[in-house]
Amino acid sequence: MPYIETKTTVKMTEKQTDELTEKLGKAISLLRGKSEAWLMLGFQDGMKMAFRGKRDTDIAIAEIKIYGKASPAEYDALTAAVCKIYGEVLGVASDHVYVKYEEVEHWGFDGSNF
């Protein structure tokens, strides 16, 4: 049950959205038991954002929610992958990307809870 919300200053094209969908779908498998089959994605592009007190460069944040837990090593691997993906697809430097994780204990789907 992973969910990845991408927020960025970059105004994304449909091609970029499709590329992120594909690449994040593959990357989520770096977390044990997670797969694209259950992945939901959200995109907020063209946002007004500032980093280090400035608005002169593109930035992004990935907010990743998962049902259950993952290990620090798995989070490290996924953070590296997300930063690389945002660089390749959006042109955002890895030192201008934040990745936030949230482990969710209760997750509902299709009228019931896991």
Side-chain angles (χ1 to χ4, degrees), residues 38 108-114:
W38 289 96
F109 169 74
D110 196 19
S112 62
N113 295 303
F114 290 94

PDB file of all heavy atoms in Angstrom, residues 38 108-114:
ATOM      1  N   TRP A  38       0.403  -2.139  -6.086  1.00  0.00           N
ATOM      2  CA  TRP A  38      -0.368  -1.447  -5.049  1.00  0.00           C
ATOM      3  C   TRP A  38       0.023   0.027  -4.915  1.00  0.00           C
ATOM      4  O   TRP A  38      -0.452   0.716  -4.020  1.00  0.00           O
ATOM      5  CB  TRP A  38      -0.170  -2.142  -3.699  1.00  0.00           C
ATOM      6  CG  TRP A  38      -0.856  -3.473  -3.649  1.00  0.00           C
ATOM      7  CD1 TRP A  38      -0.293  -4.698  -3.883  1.00  0.00           C
ATOM      8  CD2 TRP A  38      -2.229  -3.710  -3.363  1.00  0.00           C
ATOM      9  NE1 TRP A  38      -1.228  -5.684  -3.755  1.00  0.00           N
ATOM     10  CE2 TRP A  38      -2.441  -5.094  -3.427  1.00  0.00           C
ATOM     11  CE3 TRP A  38      -3.307  -2.882  -3.053  1.00  0.00           C
ATOM     12  CZ2 TRP A  38      -3.679  -5.674  -3.199  1.00  0.00           C
ATOM     13  CZ3 TRP A  38      -4.539  -3.471  -2.815  1.00  0.00           C
ATOM     14  CH2 TRP A  38      -4.714  -4.847  -2.898  1.00  0.00           C
ATOM     15  N   GLY A 108      -6.836   1.845   4.863  1.00  0.00           N
ATOM     16  CA  GLY A 108      -8.095   1.352   4.345  1.00  0.00           C
ATOM     17  C   GLY A 108      -8.064   1.218   2.839  1.00  0.00           C
ATOM     18  O   GLY A 108      -7.382   1.963   2.130  1.00  0.00           O
ATOM     19  N   PHE A 109      -8.820   0.247   2.343  1.00  0.00           N
ATOM     20  CA  PHE A 109      -8.916   0.014   0.897  1.00  0.00           C
ATOM     21  C   PHE A 109     -10.184  -0.787   0.618  1.00  0.00           C
ATOM     22  O   PHE A 109     -10.484  -1.763   1.327  1.00  0.00           O
ATOM     23  CB  PHE A 109      -7.680  -0.769   0.410  1.00  0.00           C
ATOM     24  CG  PHE A 109      -7.807  -1.292  -1.000  1.00  0.00           C
ATOM     25  CD1 PHE A 109      -7.717  -0.448  -2.089  1.00  0.00           C
ATOM     26  CD2 PHE A 109      -8.032  -2.639  -1.229  1.00  0.00           C
ATOM     27  CE1 PHE A 109      -7.830  -0.920  -3.374  1.00  0.00           C
ATOM     28  CE2 PHE A 109      -8.149  -3.127  -2.515  1.00  0.00           C
ATOM     29  CZ  PHE A 109      -8.054  -2.275  -3.599  1.00  0.00           C
ATOM     30  N   ASP A 110     -10.909  -0.392  -0.387  1.00  0.00           N
ATOM     31  CA  ASP A 110     -12.067  -1.133  -0.867  1.00  0.00           C
ATOM     32  C   ASP A 110     -13.078  -1.422   0.243  1.00  0.00           C
ATOM     33  O   ASP A 110     -13.597  -2.527   0.350  1.00  0.00           O
ATOM     34  CB  ASP A 110     -11.600  -2.424  -1.550  1.00  0.00           C
ATOM     35  CG  ASP A 110     -12.689  -3.053  -2.396  1.00  0.00           C
ATOM     36  OD1 ASP A 110     -13.670  -2.364  -2.767  1.00  0.00           O
ATOM     37  OD2 ASP A 110     -12.593  -4.280  -2.673  1.00  0.00           O
ATOM     38  N   GLY A 111     -13.313  -0.433   1.094  1.00  0.00           N
ATOM     39  CA  GLY A 111     -14.348  -0.549   2.119  1.00  0.00           C
ATOM     40  C   GLY A 111     -13.953  -1.235   3.406  1.00  0.00           C
ATOM     41  O   GLY A 111     -14.778  -1.424   4.299  1.00  0.00           O
ATOM     42  N   SER A 112     -12.669  -1.622   3.530  1.00  0.00           N
ATOM     43  CA  SER A 112     -12.229  -2.249   4.783  1.00  0.00           C
ATOM     44  C   SER A 112     -10.798  -1.828   5.072  1.00  0.00           C
ATOM     45  O   SER A 112     -10.192  -1.080   4.320  1.00  0.00           O
ATOM     46  CB  SER A 112     -12.343  -3.785   4.703  1.00  0.00           C
ATOM     47  OG  SER A 112     -11.514  -4.283   3.684  1.00  0.00           O
ATOM     48  N   ASN A 113     -10.255  -2.310   6.168  1.00  0.00           N
ATOM     49  CA  ASN A 113      -8.911  -1.943   6.588  1.00  0.00           C
ATOM     50  C   ASN A 113      -8.008  -3.158   6.689  1.00  0.00           C
ATOM     51  O   ASN A 113      -8.455  -4.255   6.994  1.00  0.00           O
ATOM     52  CB  ASN A 113      -8.949  -1.226   7.956  1.00  0.00           C
ATOM     53  CG  ASN A 113      -9.677   0.085   7.850  1.00  0.00           C
ATOM     54  OD1 ASN A 113      -9.305   0.934   7.054  1.00  0.00           O
ATOM     55  ND2 ASN A 113     -10.711   0.262   8.643  1.00  0.00           N
ATOM     56  N   PHE A 114      -6.724  -2.898   6.473  1.00  0.00           N
ATOM     57  CA  PHE A 114      -5.719  -3.964   6.614  1.00  0.00           C
ATOM     58  C   PHE A 114      -5.292  -4.046   8.054  1.00  0.00           C
ATOM     59  O   PHE A 114      -5.319  -3.110   8.800  1.00  0.00           O
ATOM     60  CB  PHE A 114      -4.504  -3.671   5.725  1.00  0.00           C
ATOM     61  CG  PHE A 114      -4.798  -3.817   4.261  1.00  0.00           C
ATOM     62  CD1 PHE A 114      -5.164  -2.714   3.503  1.00  0.00           C
ATOM     63  CD2 PHE A 114      -4.728  -5.052   3.647  1.00  0.00           C
ATOM     64  CE1 PHE A 114      -5.445  -2.840   2.155  1.00  0.00           C
ATOM     65  CE2 PHE A 114      -4.996  -5.185   2.288  1.00  0.00           C
ATOM     66  CZ  PHE A 114      -5.377  -4.068   1.531  1.00  0.00           C
TER      67      PHE A 114
END
